[in-house]
Amino acid sequence: MWKGLLLRSSTCLLQVGAPRFLPQGCLTSPFLRPLAKRLLHRPFPIPWGTGYFLTHTGTRGYKKDTKSTLEFPVTPVTVTDIKQYLRSKDIPFHDGYSCLHIPSIFVDLSTRKEVFSLFIDKTTGQFLCKDTLVEGSWEDLQDCLEVMQKDGEESLNPNVLLGYPESVEEQEERERELREVQRIWSTSVPLTDLPEDEAQLIKTIFQITKISNATLKKFGVRLFKPTKSLVFPWFGGPDSSLKGVKLLSAQRTETDKVTYNEATVPKSNSYYNLFGLPLVGRLDSEVVVTGHEFDTMAVSQATGLPSVALPRGVSCLPPILLPYLEQFKRVTLWLGGDIRSWEASKSFSRKLGIRRCSLVRPGEYRPCAVEALARGKNLSNIIKASIPAAHKSIVSFKQLREDVYGELVNTDQVAGVKWTRFPELNRILKGHRKGELTVFTGPTGSGKTTFISELALDLCMQGVNTLWGSFEINNVRLAKIMLTQFAMQRLEENLEQYDFWADKFEELSLYFMTFHGQQNIKTVLDTMQHAVYLYDINHVVIDNLQFMMGQENLSVDKFAVQDHIIGVFRKFATNSSCHVTLIIHPRKEEDDRELQTASIFGSAKASQEADNVLILQEKKLVTCPGRRSLQVTKNRFDGDVGIFPLDFIKSSLTFSTPIKGKHKLRKVNTKPENEEEDEATAAASKKEEVKKDKVEKVKGNTKTPRTVKSPANGNGAIQK
């Protein structure tokens, strides 16, 4: 009986669009109502990056994006809670490396390919069924289990969670992307079908001459001729259908270095391809994870080991991919040959399960896999020499020796990500580094939020995944400021360019917390940890400390509360290998006095825990806006401190460093060329005459006696 009710309920769910409640007649079973209510109150899955859309009539329509801000669980779940619940329901489970495995409740027993095919993330509680691709939150899974067991059934229809209502625009967007994927794939050609000389030229351009045609064919790599781009397919799902493509183009710089440009369909935020996964067998227990498709093909060709590439390289390991890596007892992370890849390897190993992971340490003799293949190195030996990710509490210098050498060799990379808009800050701080705490302060109204938003935007544009916690101003206003700084112009005066810049801005790995005003520090910390795990956040900005604390509990010592919060942020930055920028208001000072480290409100704990202390100085002027400068008063990395001026450009809401020296403006000459030549000749002759007059005058002065005043009486005396 319950199956018919569930089917009718599913039909009702599929038909509901904007209304938030179902008619009472749709759900007659009391056990289905909690499930339907929770499903209806969930945000509809609108594709990432959608905010505005253009209708077919050519006019603009506005659509509220339900994923414009991050969604975090209201009540964080622990792995202990999950296990206790599964035991209470007599559901068998297998404790995996990063997920719990249970039998899928969305597949009949007779058609199950694997016994444990539903994976529950130990950190977030999110689940994924590999057989049906049904996914959802821990609360969704609980509701489904309650309904299933109450009616004594062994499985549920997957449409219960797959059947979200879609708007016309969402359907058109999804269909357009599918058509684009098929068009690119059908019009591209395998490299083995090209003439030998043309195929060799393509391989030379992309620096993959050592990768054989057989390997390229094995991985399904093709060439898209209109843009001379390589096409990497994404095959996924139970039927291994084509779900997306990545296009890679290459260009050579002036220094004869090859740079690559990537484009994915669908957009990068929805592109979850483990390149090479369809070639992995069910019984394989070892895999090499790389940061690029070329490296995966190089490892597979040289070693024969199963290898997969992450969809976004070293910038992110989406948790939705973790179930596909659960079968491996040993995971070797070979993400590249630089310090950034090494840091990402250590971070990803914590997600995958640190005890089964080993890392290929970067260095001169251990470059990225495709480069190692080109140099003729033994890739099998490099993988065998990888070091375990698990570490003891106490280490010796012998274990640290290679790390120390790596920092000495790669001094520039160790210093961190460089700012492109603030070269003077690079000179002092050397760069933006993970695991540090930066305290930033400045006078009220001096532009602290505006400056720090540009500082963070500069880093985000270079691949530093950023999370903003703005407790003082709302996210819409903050996003408007950052978009203006990104476009370097007032978009309200150029609305026709809004979609162009907004599309580019959407591609940034930039996220916002939805908090505003006073918040509990534990709630904020849980949100930050969730974001680091889910989106590999590298930089968290808290604006600002005092506004977040509030003034409700006046009986508690506010300095003790502030010290506790700063200590929590310090510990989070270190343990999560994430940079935290904390804005703190200064104490009230006289207008004519410059701020110092001691001016920070409750400065003792803040200045001690901080790795960097930045002060936005503003000199008050009567006739014009104040002159601003940025002062670095603490730099734990190498001790350099200093100050440099800033110019505020109101039209773009940006700060810039003034150019040293004064440059005179040159007038544009509109006279004919012959007049210019005549004037140049006359000026040269006049200059020569003046020079002759000076020489004759000097000669005449040598014959005339000089009058010199005596130091005694000041009278003039003739000296010959």
Side-chain angles (χ1 to χ4, degrees):
M1 173 183 175
W2 86 272
K3 185 173 290 186
L5 294 174
L6 182 60
L7 290 175
R8 288 201 301 271
S9 304
S10 302
T11 305
C12 292
L13 289 175
L14 289 169
Q15 292 174 349
V16 170
R20 296 180 62 86
F21 299 100
L22 288 174
Q24 293 183 355
C26 288
L27 296 178
T28 57
S29 171
F31 307 113
L32 292 178
R33 289 175 190 146
L35 172 61
K37 183 179 180 181
R38 188 179 296 277
L39 292 177
L40 285 176
H41 282 275
R42 287 182 55 184
F44 301 147
I46 298 173
W48 282 88
T50 56
Y52 289 94
F53 65 91
L54 295 177
T55 63
H56 65 280
T57 58
T59 59
R60 169 182 289 284
Y62 176 73
K63 177 175 63 177
K64 179 70 173 178
D65 188 357
T66 58
K67 288 197 174 183
S68 59
T69 53
L70 291 182
E71 297 169 5
F72 300 104
V74 178
T75 55
V77 64
T78 65
V79 66
T80 304
D81 298 333
I82 298 174
K83 290 180 179 179
Q84 288 178 350
Y85 180 83
L86 295 177
R87 290 191 185 102
S88 68
K89 298 297 180 183
D90 295 326
I91 298 176
F93 64 86
H94 171 67
D95 197 346
Y97 299 101
S98 55
C99 300
L100 295 176
H101 313 173
I102 68 171
S104 176
I105 62 174
F106 302 103
V107 182
D108 292 334
L109 287 173
S110 58
T111 58
R112 285 178 184 168
K113 298 179 181 179
E114 299 179 17
V115 178
F116 298 95
S117 59
L118 193 147
F119 297 81
I120 306 173
D121 193 299
K122 290 183 180 181
T123 304
T124 63
Q126 295 279 337
F127 74 89
L128 169 69
C129 173
K130 289 174 63 176
D131 290 336
T132 60
L133 296 185
V134 176
E135 59 179 294
S137 67
W138 170 242
E139 290 80 8
D140 294 334
L141 184 59
Q142 285 179 301
D143 288 341
C144 290
L145 290 172
E146 294 288 341
V147 171
M148 186 184 72
Q149 293 196 348
K150 196 70 177 179
D151 288 279
E153 295 292 335
E154 295 179 346
S155 62
L156 282 179
N157 190 328
N159 288 332
V160 170
L161 291 179
L162 286 177
Y164 293 118
E166 278 189 335
S167 65
V168 176
E169 292 77 19
E170 291 165 357
Q171 293 177 358
E172 291 178 352
E173 175 70 15
R174 184 165 52 84
E175 292 172 359
R176 185 193 65 79
E177 288 183 341
L178 289 175
R179 288 196 302 269
E180 184 68 10
V181 168
Q182 294 295 336
R183 184 188 71 83
I184 294 173
W185 185 247
S186 61
T187 55
S188 57
V189 295
L191 268 69
T192 52
D193 294 350
L194 297 174
E196 182 63 28
D197 55 344
E198 186 177 352
Q200 192 62 31
L201 177 61
I202 294 297
K203 292 167 70 174
T204 303
I205 292 174
F206 286 91
Q207 296 183 329
I208 53 173
T209 54
K210 294 295 182 179
I211 296 181
S212 65
N213 292 338
T215 302
L216 294 170
K217 183 178 181 180
K218 174 183 174 183
F219 282 87
V221 180
R222 295 187 177 187
L223 176 69
F224 188 60
K225 286 189 174 182
T227 58
K228 291 291 189 296
S229 303
L230 292 182
V231 182
F232 303 105
W234 172 16
F235 295 108
D239 55 351
S240 297
S241 60
L242 183 66
K243 300 178 70 67
V245 292
K246 176 186 284 189
L247 285 84
L248 184 71
S249 59
Q251 62 182 35
R252 196 173 294 272
T253 62
E254 297 178 354
T255 58
D256 207 32
K257 182 180 179 181
V258 176
T259 59
Y260 299 107
N261 297 316
E262 294 181 355
T264 62
V265 183
K267 292 182 179 181
S268 59
N269 286 329
S270 303
Y271 188 80
Y272 298 115
N273 176 29
L274 280 174
F275 179 74
L277 186 64
L279 302 177
V280 177
R282 287 182 176 270
L283 300 179
D284 289 329
S285 60
E286 182 179 356
V287 70
V288 180
V289 178
T290 70
H292 199 280
E293 290 79 6
F294 290 159
D295 294 329
T296 288
M297 291 188 288
V299 169
S300 177
Q301 176 178 308
T303 66
L305 293 172
S307 181
V308 296
L310 299 178
R312 276 163 272 179
V314 301
S315 65
C316 183
L317 171 57
I320 195 174
L321 298 177
L322 296 179
Y324 298 99
L325 300 172
E326 280 287 292
Q327 76 177 74
F328 304 107
K329 296 180 180 179
R330 174 183 166 87
V331 178
T332 303
L333 293 167
W334 191 356
L335 300 184
D338 55 13
I339 293 296
R340 186 182 179 191
S341 303
W342 175 247
E343 293 291 337
S345 299
K346 292 189 287 186
S347 175
F348 294 167
S349 66
R350 291 192 285 268
K351 281 187 179 182
L352 293 166
I354 199 168
R355 295 186 180 277
R356 64 166 172 163
C357 292
S358 59
L359 316 177
V360 175
R361 194 195 306 272
E364 183 180 356
Y365 302 103
R366 292 176 295 274
C368 62
V370 69
E371 188 176 347
L373 181 67
R375 295 185 188 179
K377 297 186 179 297
N378 191 320
L379 273 68
S380 297
N381 290 342
I382 294 177
I383 293 174
K384 289 178 182 178
S386 59
I387 62 174
H391 56 278
K392 298 178 181 179
S393 300
I394 301 176
V395 295
S396 64
F397 178 72
K398 183 178 181 180
Q399 295 170 285
L400 299 175
R401 179 169 179 167
E402 288 298 319
D403 286 334
V404 174
Y405 179 75
E407 292 206 359
L408 293 174
V409 173
N410 304 285
T411 307
D412 192 56
Q413 295 182 18
V414 172
V417 181
K418 303 294 188 294
W419 288 274
T420 59
R421 301 190 180 195
F422 303 99
E424 287 295 320
L425 195 58
N426 294 329
R427 180 181 59 82
I428 302 174
L429 286 181
K430 306 301 184 292
H432 175 90
R433 295 166 289 275
K434 292 183 179 180
E436 292 190 354
L437 174 66
T438 295
V439 170
F440 179 69
T441 190
T444 302
S446 60
K448 292 189 295 297
T449 301
T450 304
F451 174 78
I452 212 68
S453 67
E454 184 181 9
L455 202 72
L457 176 64
D458 190 342
L459 297 169
C460 189
M461 292 168 63
Q462 301 177 67
V464 178
N465 300 351
T466 304
L467 174 65
W468 255 95
S470 178
F471 300 89
E472 189 168 357
I473 65 175
N474 62 54
N475 290 328
V476 174
R477 183 181 171 192
L478 177 61
K480 177 185 173 184
I481 292 173
M482 299 186 77
L483 181 60
T484 302
Q485 294 172 334
F486 181 74
M488 301 287 286
Q489 60 177 311
R490 291 277 190 179
L491 290 176
E492 55 263 42
E493 300 173 0
N494 301 280
L495 290 177
E496 70 281 357
Q497 299 183 24
Y498 176 79
D499 286 321
F500 172 79
W501 289 109
D503 289 342
K504 288 183 173 294
F505 193 70
E506 281 180 0
E507 296 298 325
L508 299 179
S509 297
L510 178 64
Y511 306 93
F512 303 90
M513 297 188 209
T514 56
F515 301 131
H516 193 267
Q518 182 185 10
Q519 294 295 330
N520 182 277
I521 182 61
K522 186 180 184 303
T523 305
V524 176
L525 190 65
D526 288 342
T527 302
M528 292 164 57
Q529 290 173 340
H530 182 83
V532 168
Y533 177 81
L534 204 61
Y535 303 102
D536 293 296
I537 296 298
N538 307 130
H539 186 200
V540 178
V541 182
I542 301 296
D543 181 20
N544 58 64
L545 182 64
Q546 287 93 336
F547 209 94
M548 185 188 74
M549 290 169 53
Q551 299 291 333
E552 288 188 4
N553 197 344
L554 300 177
S555 61
V556 179
D557 184 2
K558 57 184 178 182
F559 293 108
V561 174
Q562 177 173 321
D563 288 352
H564 169 69
I565 294 176
I566 292 174
V568 168
F569 284 135
R570 166 75 271 174
K571 185 177 180 180
F572 169 82
T574 303
N575 295 342
S576 303
S577 187
C578 178
H579 193 113
V580 176
T581 298
L582 189 58
I583 301 177
I584 304 178
H585 282 312
R587 294 199 304 260
K588 295 299 181 182
E589 300 277 7
E590 298 293 335
D591 291 341
D592 57 345
R593 292 183 58 184
E594 289 191 346
L595 298 180
Q596 301 176 355
T597 304
S599 303
I600 301 173
F601 188 83
S603 60
K605 184 75 171 179
S607 58
Q608 288 171 6
E609 296 286 2
D611 296 285
N612 313 295
V613 176
L614 276 60
I615 302 176
L616 184 63
Q617 301 283 9
E618 183 180 27
K619 187 176 181 180
K620 299 293 184 180
L621 300 175
V622 178
T623 57
C624 62
R627 295 178 180 175
R628 296 179 179 89
S629 58
L630 185 68
Q631 183 176 8
V632 179
T633 60
K634 184 178 181 181
N635 176 10
R636 187 171 281 166
F637 179 71
D638 66 354
D640 284 354
V641 295
I643 187 171
F644 58 91
L646 295 172
D647 279 346
F648 179 66
I649 305 172
K650 191 172 183 180
S651 60
S652 59
L653 302 179
T654 58
F655 292 83
S656 63
T657 306
I659 301 175
K660 294 182 179 180
K662 295 181 179 179
H663 299 277
K664 295 181 179 179
L665 295 175
R666 293 186 302 171
K667 294 183 179 180
V668 179
N669 201 338
T670 58
K671 295 182 179 181
E673 294 183 0
N674 55 354
E675 291 187 16
E676 290 181 5
E677 294 177 0
D678 295 341
E679 289 184 0
T681 305
S685 58
K686 186 175 181 181
K687 188 175 181 181
E688 192 67 28
E689 292 178 1
V690 172
K691 190 175 181 181
K692 289 181 180 180
D693 292 341
K694 287 184 178 180
V695 172
E696 293 177 357
K697 192 172 183 181
V698 170
K699 290 181 180 179
N701 289 340
T702 54
K703 300 177 183 179
T704 308
R706 291 186 294 139
T707 303
V708 181
K709 290 188 177 181
S710 172
N713 54 15
N715 294 329
I718 302 298
Q719 182 180 6
K720 295 184 179 180

